Amino acid sequence: MKTYQGKSVFGGIAIGKIHVYKKDEKQVKREKVENPEEEIARYMKAKETAGGQLQQLYEKALKEVGEANAAIFEVHQMMLEDGGFQESVENIIRTQKVNAEYAVASAGDNFAQMFAAMEDEYMRARSADIKDISERLLKVLGNESAGGFLSSEPVIIVAKDLAPSETVQMDKDKVLSFVTALGSANSHTAILARTMGIPALVNVAAGMSGEDEKKEYGGLLSDELEGKLGVVDANAGILYVEPETELLKELEKKKQEDMEKKELLLTLKGRENVTLDGQKLMLYANIGNSKDLGLALQNDAGGIGLFRSEFIYLEKEDYPTEEEQFSIYKTVAETMAGKRVIIRTLDIGADKKCDYFNMEPEENPALGYRAIRICLDRPQIFKTQLRALFRASVYGKIAVMYPMITSVWEVRKIKEIVAEVCDELKEQGIDFSLPEQGIMIETPAAVMVSRELAKEVDFFSIGTNDLTQYTLAIDRQNPRLDAFYDPHHPAVLRMIEMVVDNAHKEGIWAGICGELGADTGLTRDFLAMGVDELSVSPGSILPIRKIVLETDVKEYRKEYRKMAES
Ligand code: PEP
Ligand code: MG
């Protein structure tokens, strides 16, 4: 038996086979072939398809984001046509009698290394482009999308790290648990695990010595683990590989007990979220995908308080069209049958990266080009999303919320764009309705001007994940800083209270949709502050309801005041 200790991001126990997920190796197997010429023909066909895709991307980008940003696709086309690359692929196929996938991956690696070693900065940067091109070719050859992993049964995924774009593309029915060597508990991959309600561990490397790290994190990523029985006890933060019979029995029993506890909570379904002294709370679910709706409904969500719409973009290889988005938002609105569905507009950037956005590398991406800043800078992308949202709004109670606001002028600018979109839809005779408009309060600047902001919108939703990051000056992606990332810091809690007060003074409601909202140790404090709504991962709804039902807020407020003053 082997054990690994990590940081739990969502509790529970998972038992199943381990799958060691490796980004670079995922689809590329070296296979001997009988007829190399057939493989070369496959390669040529894939090259043609990839060239066509790049041309389409170029034309689309030219229209939407201008020539300078579109130029990258031209560069990719030129590199794809490069005789040297093609020669190398053909040569590998012919001399080694191997499949086209392997030849593309090998040529891609060789060329990327060659560029990376060049003196000239511009040429060095082409290394990433070569990787991009070979990945595109591999996808065409394999006829599958990036990030997917192939598994016929549910598995425990063990990986070095997982990007949100990879996690979101995994078939959720096939994932029992995640265990990653790196990764922060505050990253979006961790948040996705919580939304999916699966036990997960990150940062297994934290307690390891340099020697262990060199050996693929103490063997965590070695092929030896593939297919072995694993148990993730995310309550204790441990992954067991091939646990002994006695221990396995004990863990199976714990899993059973966990399930029984969950079932007990299900008896609270259908109850109103109201305290002993009559204070009501809206208890909504956070989702990243229309597939998460089942979990939201199963856990009796009163609505959707945060639909992270950027995951629609992360799942795709090109900008989702208005029709594609409309169909997703309509499904969510209809499924929630009149309950409020708050859809957050595109919050791309920082750890949520989409290749096709072609964003320049940044020194400080968390403080960089992201979220509403991109939308205001590239209004065409923003307008496409707003059109889809306003059209879908006819089919249910959609509300729209804008992320990363820092200033009143941004909200006014958004309103101008919203008005333009409404005018355009009206002119075109397209059915739509204007949803409620809210903003996320997730920067200290927004907190400080929240009274002014409250005059402009219908509601606030406090994003404590980013609010903690920006208030405490701690990169939420950096696992080394997890111990310093303290959302219970008085500065954060006082900010929440201030935002709620300012919202109420202007007659609007305020909720919390960051992960702190699910912290049951604070539920009574949030009630005492007058928080109107909590939006949490679906699995956290019923445990919070239990606390709400047992709380006398007037009584607790006395205790809370004393604590706040001390
Ligand atoms: C937040 O910052 O609290 C939030 C809900 O948004 P995200 O975690 O997606 O940045
Ligand atoms: Mg945020």
Side-chain angles (χ1 to χ4, degrees):
M1 178 179 81
K2 257 188 165 177
T3 58
Y4 296 90
Q5 180 81 43
K7 188 168 170 56
S8 172
V9 294
F10 192 77
I13 294 177
I15 304 178
K17 277 193 190 155
I18 292 176
H19 171 63
V20 183
Y21 175 86
K22 291 185 185 168
K23 284 180 218 274
D24 305 334
E25 294 174 12
K26 62 186 177 244
Q27 294 139 11
V28 192
K29 280 206 185 111
R30 186 175 192 275
E31 280 163 13
K32 280 279 180 194
V33 296
E34 290 280 303
N35 188 342
E37 294 313 311
E38 262 176 28
E39 286 304 297
I40 289 173
R42 274 184 70 224
Y43 167 71
M44 294 307 284
K45 201 157 164 247
K47 193 182 130 199
E48 201 182 304
T49 310
Q53 287 177 351
L54 287 166
Q55 181 60 25
Q56 273 180 12
L57 285 171
Y58 174 71
E59 283 162 17
K60 194 159 185 290
L62 199 58
K63 265 193 247 142
E64 290 177 2
V65 290
E67 197 169 351
N69 290 313
I72 186 70
F73 296 117
E74 253 187 338
V75 174
H76 281 199
Q77 270 174 307
M78 270 154 44
M79 292 173 100
L80 182 70
E81 288 304 326
D82 178 74
F85 185 75
Q86 178 168 329
E87 226 171 82
S88 170
V89 173
E90 287 185 17
N91 193 33
I92 294 172
I93 295 177
R94 280 206 185 96
T95 53
Q96 301 184 33
K97 288 201 168 63
V98 287
N99 52 330
E101 284 89 341
Y102 179 79
V104 167
S106 304
D109 283 349
N110 297 343
F111 273 66
Q113 271 175 28
M114 185 179 83
F115 277 109
M118 286 183 179
E119 289 268 349
D120 183 86
E121 198 182 325
Y122 176 83
M123 295 311 276
R124 268 206 312 276
R126 301 286 68 79
S127 171
D129 295 318
I130 276 287
K131 280 194 193 136
D132 239 306
I133 293 162
S134 67
E135 268 172 28
R136 179 173 297 284
L137 283 164
L138 288 171
K139 276 175 219 158
V140 177
L141 281 165
N143 198 20
E144 58 188 289
S145 60
F149 72 96
L150 308 168
S151 168
S152 53
E153 59 181 318
V155 286
I156 293 171
I157 300 219
V158 167
K160 182 173 175 192
D161 202 358
L162 289 168
S165 57
E166 287 171 303
T167 318
V168 78
Q169 288 179 60
M170 288 180 175
D171 179 352
K172 301 190 176 47
D173 297 332
K174 301 277 170 58
V175 183
L176 295 171
S177 169
F178 292 123
V179 179
T180 60
L182 308 176
S184 151
N186 308 303
S187 68
H188 283 93
T189 294
I191 288 174
L192 279 167
R194 275 180 221 126
T195 306
M196 288 154 73
I198 61 168
L201 308 180
V202 293
N203 207 5
V204 170
M208 288 182 177
S209 67
E211 269 313 296
D212 278 339
E213 286 188 26
K214 264 188 242 148
K215 287 185 218 141
E216 298 202 289
Y217 304 99
L220 181 72
L221 306 179
S222 76
D223 290 336
E224 271 172 48
L225 254 59
E226 182 69 33
K228 290 214 163 124
L229 177 72
V231 179
V232 178
D233 180 353
N235 302 328
I238 300 174
L239 162 69
Y240 298 94
V241 181
E242 298 199 309
E244 279 125 25
T245 322
E246 271 312 296
L247 180 63
L248 181 62
K249 268 195 204 147
E250 209 179 288
L251 291 164
E252 277 168 343
K253 193 166 154 242
K254 271 200 200 164
K255 186 175 176 206
Q256 185 60 28
E257 283 165 5
D258 257 18
M259 275 164 57
E260 282 163 14
K261 265 193 220 152
K262 276 191 190 138
E263 264 162 39
L264 206 61
L265 281 172
L266 290 180
T267 58
L268 298 178
K269 272 180 83 168
R271 301 274 302 269
E272 207 185 350
N273 308 303
V274 56
T275 63
L276 292 170
D277 53 335
Q279 186 170 317
K280 287 187 185 161
L281 178 76
M282 296 181 276
L283 209 36
Y284 291 174
N286 289 350
I287 61 168
N289 203 299
S290 56
K291 289 179 220 137
D292 298 333
L293 280 174
L295 278 175
L297 291 172
Q298 242 168 289
N299 287 283
D300 216 13
I304 301 298
L306 169 63
F307 177 173
R308 290 180 161 95
S309 72
E310 59 276 9
F311 288 134
I312 301 172
Y313 293 71
L314 289 178
E315 276 181 72
K316 298 200 47 93
E317 284 164 39
D318 194 0
Y319 296 96
T321 62
E322 180 182 323
E323 283 315 306
E324 280 167 330
Q325 293 192 59
F326 166 68
S327 147
I328 297 169
Y329 304 146
K330 177 171 174 271
T331 305
V332 180
E334 284 180 339
T335 312
M336 291 309 289
K339 290 179 176 158
R340 190 184 271 129
V341 173
I342 304 177
I343 301 178
R344 171 175 75 186
T345 56
L346 181 63
D347 185 12
I348 216 85
D351 62 328
K352 289 176 283 194
K353 292 203 177 71
C354 264
D355 290 348
Y356 59 84
F357 271 72
N358 287 308
M359 300 200 291
E360 304 264 318
E362 293 176 290
E363 285 284 324
N364 292 303
L367 302 181
Y369 191 58
R370 58 171 295 201
I372 201 67
R373 299 168 186 181
I374 299 181
C375 289
L376 293 178
D377 190 48
R378 301 187 188 179
Q380 219 31 59
I381 298 174
F382 192 32
K383 278 185 162 182
T384 302
Q385 181 170 35
L386 293 177
R387 282 175 66 96
L389 285 166
F390 298 178
R391 285 173 55 201
S393 169
V394 173
Y395 297 87
K397 192 175 176 181
I398 285 185
V400 179
M401 150 163 108
Y402 304 98
M404 277 295 287
I405 298 293
T406 54
S407 309
V408 174
W409 75 261
E410 290 164 336
V411 180
R412 299 215 173 114
K413 184 73 200 158
I414 292 169
K415 285 170 144 181
E416 277 173 29
I417 297 175
V418 164
E420 279 171 30
V421 169
C422 291
D423 287 347
E424 283 162 20
L425 287 166
K426 228 180 272 166
E427 258 169 44
Q428 291 160 358
I430 296 172
D431 205 13
F432 78 98
S433 77
L434 183 64
E436 288 175 294
Q437 305 278 306
I439 54 171
M440 293 197 63
I441 301 288
E442 49 185 349
T443 62
V447 173
M448 297 315 288
V449 295
S450 51
R451 183 84 192 254
E452 287 85 346
L453 288 168
K455 295 183 209 293
E456 302 284 337
V457 293
D458 299 317
F459 65 92
F460 283 162
S461 187
I462 306 173
T464 50
N465 308 335
D466 278 319
L467 186 58
T468 305
Q469 152 164 271
Y470 297 127
T471 304
L472 305 185
I474 286 174
D475 177 359
R476 66 192 263 198
Q477 284 303 113
N478 187 340
R480 267 209 208 136
L481 300 178
D482 275 2
F484 295 91
Y485 182 95
D486 176 17
H488 287 211
H489 193 293
V492 177
L493 297 179
R494 279 181 212 165
M495 282 191 178
I496 296 174
E497 189 158 19
M498 182 175 172
V499 170
V500 175
D501 283 348
N502 282 335
H504 291 175
K505 279 182 195 147
E506 296 301 330
I508 65 166
W509 62 265
I512 299 176
C513 64
E515 298 299 292
L516 193 67
D519 186 332
T520 47
L522 287 174
T523 308
R524 295 188 305 164
D525 300 76
F526 294 146
L527 288 165
M529 290 178 197
V531 169
D532 303 286
E533 177 243 20
L534 292 177
S535 188
V536 296
S537 57
S540 295
I541 292 176
L542 294 174
I544 296 178
R545 176 170 296 166
K546 186 167 182 294
I547 297 175
V548 173
L549 291 168
E550 290 164 356
T551 301
D552 181 330
V553 188
K554 282 204 192 96
E555 266 311 303
Y556 181 70
R557 206 167 271 135
K558 293 178 202 157
E559 211 177 297
Y560 171 76
R561 284 281 156 239
K562 262 193 225 145
M563 268 184 338
E565 279 156 22
S566 66

